[in-house]
Amino acid sequence: MKVYKFGGASVRSAEGIRNIVKIVSTINDNLFIVVSAMGKTTNAMEVVLDLFMKADHQGALTKLTEVEAYHEAIISELFLTPESGRSSVEPLFSELKKYITEGVGDDYDSWYDRLVSYGELISTKIVSAYLLESGINNMWLNMRELIVTDSNFREANVRMNDSQVRLQKAVDFSKSRIYIGQGFIGANVKGDPTTLGREGSDYTAAVVGNLLDAESVTIWKDVPGILNADPRLFENTVHIPELTYLDAVELAYSGAQIIHPKTIKPLENKHIPLYVRPFGSPDEDGSVIKAVTEKPIEVPVLILRKNQVLITIRPRDFSFVLEESLSKAFAVMNKHRLKVALIQSSAISISVCVDNSRYLAGALDELGNDFKVTYNDGLELLTIRGINDEIVQKTTSGRTILLTQRTRRSGRYLMKEL
Ligand code: ASP
Ligand code: MG
């Protein structure tokens, strides 16, 4: 069997969903389709959530009406009989309205997962109904019942063994050749909804591939495959046809937006190849990530991680930071879910570069108990793999650099945002 994942950009319009039908109808393999929320729905649902948490129930309902209208427009353009599309999502919108009207926003993170996850429930209902209308039989699955996670709301970790038992029971290709389920969402053992972190649908696809022993996982994206740099940020980008799992992990960790950083592990563990293919040109090959490649990457790879903060901490009692304080500092950062992108240390201080997030203030506060803390925000981290002086000159000249790390093969530059 194969896993196909379609992201938000692929399903943002009626035209995109028609293209899914076109892609799916060309293959005869057993197929598990993972779909994200449509277009910018997740962002819109975050706004609904914020209003709800401020007890602005009316504001939240008004914003939800926009989300509903967006989906309704797609449905009425897409279906020959729009009623079948509408009836598939109406119960979901009713549930949402009931939560928003009657719910009391106590814990932000668990309410996030309860409400925001509807984006995926809705998109998969529409895609499933449209496949059916197009003559492609398929079974819709509720991944909240199949992907079992811990209770780390908004960034939940999948419990592979529990999920495997449930998923293998639910998926029987002798009953249906095609299954369709939501990316990004799951539930803890009690059944409380969870999400796997923003852009987590790739991770779902990888988990499903692992648990069902897929022969391959394909992420259909609105790019020609993996490039050596983001074409929106750098000129003259080059296509990279093959990468190793190790390359891919390094790129994802450095901030390449191409795949979610957690995606590689479940695939590497079973040596399942990951294809990244252009949604708009399904005849092109795209890129493949696998264990061994015959073609080493020959061009410098540039990755820009934006919205970074440099935190420097120093033990108040002048103790040596690496010996005595390192584990304490990282425990605090881990507890507050800071994503550390770079570490540098001296005898009595550690500097880390982390993603700016809503958890930052809490972390800085707690670090302040034991450390003298200073920080700078508004930074971006440029990672260059396959470094040479010319490329450094081109990408960093005239920039204010706060911190540099350089090895033989790569360089990292933490700079003020332009
Ligand atoms: N819809 C979720 C998000 O936008 C998950 C995903 O797209 O992968 O973050
Ligand atoms: Mg998305």
Side-chain angles (χ1 to χ4, degrees), residues 58-268:
Q58 198 46 52
L61 285 172
T62 306
K63 182 71 194 175
L64 183 64
T65 311
E66 281 173 30
V67 175
E68 198 170 5
Y70 164 66
H71 288 88
E72 163 55 29
I74 291 177
I75 288 171
S76 55
E77 187 186 337
L78 188 61
F79 285 82
L80 279 174
T81 49
E83 203 33 53
S84 59
R86 251 170 236 143
S87 61
S88 72
V89 296
E90 258 158 21
L92 296 172
F93 280 108
S94 307
E95 277 169 40
L96 262 172
K97 283 174 201 158
K98 195 163 148 61
Y99 275 129
I100 291 171
T101 315
E102 296 171 11
V104 179
D106 35 25
D107 179 54
Y108 186 96
D109 289 348
S110 60
W111 272 104
Y112 182 104
D113 289 358
R114 180 170 298 125
L115 299 183
V116 175
S117 55
Y118 274 86
E120 267 72 11
L121 293 169
I122 293 162
S123 68
T124 48
K125 279 286 186 190
I126 295 173
V127 174
S128 171
Y130 184 66
L131 283 169
L132 207 60
E133 186 181 81
S134 310
I136 301 174
N137 283 324
N138 67 91
M139 292 255 264
W140 181 88
L141 297 172
N142 183 349
M143 299 297 264
R144 286 174 167 183
E145 291 165 5
L146 305 177
I147 298 296
V148 186
T149 71
D150 61 14
S151 299
N152 193 25
F153 296 107
R154 293 189 70 190
E155 197 103 25
N157 300 294
V158 176
R159 296 184 174 213
M160 295 297 273
N161 293 341
D162 297 339
S163 305
Q164 181 154 41
V165 173
R166 296 198 192 179
L167 198 65
Q168 286 185 346
K169 211 162 129 197
V171 174
D172 177 353
F173 287 110
S174 69
K175 294 207 178 103
S176 172
R177 185 176 65 84
I178 300 178
Y179 285 83
I180 171 165
Q182 309 76 38
F184 180 56
I185 76 175
N188 65 14
V189 276
K190 287 190 282 177
D192 304 323
T194 54
T195 61
L196 309 181
R198 284 304 305 260
E199 306 305 325
S201 296
D202 293 352
Y203 178 39
T204 303
V207 165
V208 169
N210 175 301
L211 298 182
L212 298 180
D213 288 311
E215 77 193 61
S216 66
V217 172
T218 304
I219 295 179
W220 294 91
K221 272 186 102 70
D222 56 347
V223 291
I226 297 178
L227 304 176
N228 72 321
D230 184 337
R232 289 166 301 187
L233 304 172
F234 298 99
E235 293 170 357
N236 305 325
T237 50
V238 180
H239 177 232
I240 304 176
E242 294 188 359
L243 291 84
T244 62
Y245 294 120
L246 207 65
D247 290 331
V249 169
E250 290 281 3
L251 297 193
Y253 175 76
S254 304
Q257 300 263 305
I258 194 91
I259 33 172
H260 190 277
K262 282 183 175 172
T263 309
I264 300 302
K265 183 170 178 246
L267 300 174
E268 192 277 336

Side-chain angles (χ1 to χ4, degrees), residues 5-25:
K5 181 251 166 174
F6 297 99
S10 308
V11 290
R12 72 172 163 227
S13 64
E15 191 194 343
I17 299 169
R18 283 197 198 101
N19 196 36
I20 293 186
V21 169
K22 208 169 105 195
I23 291 173
V24 167
S25 56

Side-chain angles (χ1 to χ4, degrees), residues 10 50 125 141 224 357 373 388:
S10 308
D50 284 338
K125 279 286 186 190
L141 297 172
S357 74
V373 184
N388 61 57

Side-chain angles (χ1 to χ4, degrees), residues 287-403:
S287 303
V288 57
I289 297 166
K290 53 189 187 174
V292 190
T293 72
E294 279 80 56
K295 305 174 198 159
I297 304 175
E298 274 157 0
V299 289
V301 176
L302 303 171
I303 305 132
L304 196 62
R305 190 161 166 151
K306 295 194 164 201
N307 204 10
Q308 299 296 297
V309 182
L310 176 66
I311 306 174
T312 300
I313 61 171
R314 206 177 284 248
R316 289 192 184 282
D317 60 3
F318 227 71
S319 56
F320 291 121
V321 74
L322 283 184
E323 286 163 18
E324 291 150 53
S325 310
L326 195 64
S327 60
K328 189 189 264 172
F330 279 92
V332 172
M333 290 189 266
N334 194 27
K335 177 177 147 200
H336 289 276
R337 304 173 172 205
L338 296 192
K339 297 247 163 63
V340 178
L342 173 149
I343 306 166
Q344 190 144 301
S345 64
S346 75
I348 52 160
S349 74
I350 319 172
S351 294
V352 293
C353 168
V354 301
D355 290 344
N356 202 346
S357 74
R358 56 185 291 273
Y359 304 112
L360 182 66
L364 291 174
D365 212 42
E366 191 170 340
L367 284 169
N369 293 338
D370 296 290
F371 303 96
K372 193 169 163 292
V373 184
T374 51
Y375 76 97
N376 300 74
D377 56 10
L379 308 178
E380 55 189 30
L381 178 64
L382 174 69
T383 301
I384 307 174
R385 304 214 338 150
I387 197 163
N388 61 57
D389 291 338
E390 190 194 333
I391 196 96
V392 174
Q393 171 68 20
K394 230 168 148 180
T395 49
T396 65
S397 79
R399 302 288 304 265
T400 310
I401 300 174
L402 282 84
L403 194 157

